[in-house]
């Protein structure tokens, strides 16, 4: 669901999508945050760990991604 929302809205960076799950496992979309906290102690830190990346490695990939897009769009 998260990937589908991300792609349909054409996001290119980090977003946080909040859901609520009922006792019978129905999932409700609550909000989309386009400026989540970038910290090793937030959900992002947990995602890095799950992906096998250090937080520093993630930051380098993130900055490289932004730089490539910026350089491509400014031409």
């Amino acid at each position: 669901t998260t990937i589908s929302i991300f792609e349909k809205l054409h996001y290119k960076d980090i977003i946080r999508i909040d859901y609520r799950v009922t006792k019978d496992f129905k999932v409700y979309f609550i909000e989309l945050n386009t400026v989540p906290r970038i910290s090793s102690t937030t959900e992002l830190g947990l995602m890095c760990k799950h992906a096998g990346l250090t937080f520093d490695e993630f930051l380098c990939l993130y900055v490289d991604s932004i730089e490539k897009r910026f350089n491509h769009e400014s031409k």
Side-chain angles (χ1 to χ4, degrees), residues 26 53 55 69 72-73:
K26 289 183 181 177
L53 290 170
F55 191 69
R69 188 172 67 248
H72 175 73
E73 290 175 358

Side-chain angles (χ1 to χ4, degrees), residues 32-56:
L32 186 141
N33 185 334
T34 58
V35 188
R37 286 187 10 192
I38 298 177
S39 166
S40 62
T41 60
T42 62
E43 298 91 348
L44 191 54
L46 294 173
M47 291 187 307
C48 289
K49 187 175 182 179
H50 180 74
L53 290 170
T54 67
F55 191 69
D56 289 347

Side-chain angles (χ1 to χ4, degrees), residues 8-59:
K8 286 181 184 193
L9 295 175
H10 304 286
Y11 280 97
K12 297 179 175 140
D13 291 315
I14 299 169
I15 60 171
R16 186 189 77 221
I17 300 177
D18 294 341
Y19 301 96
R20 294 297 177 257
V21 182
T22 65
K23 289 181 182 181
D24 58 345
F25 300 102
K26 289 183 181 177
V27 178
Y28 292 91
F29 169 78
I30 302 297
E31 71 172 329
L32 186 141
N33 185 334
T34 58
V35 188
R37 286 187 10 192
I38 298 177
S39 166
S40 62
T41 60
T42 62
E43 298 91 348
L44 191 54
L46 294 173
M47 291 187 307
C48 289
K49 187 175 182 179
H50 180 74
L53 290 170
T54 67
F55 191 69
D56 289 347
E57 289 170 329
F58 163 77
L59 288 177

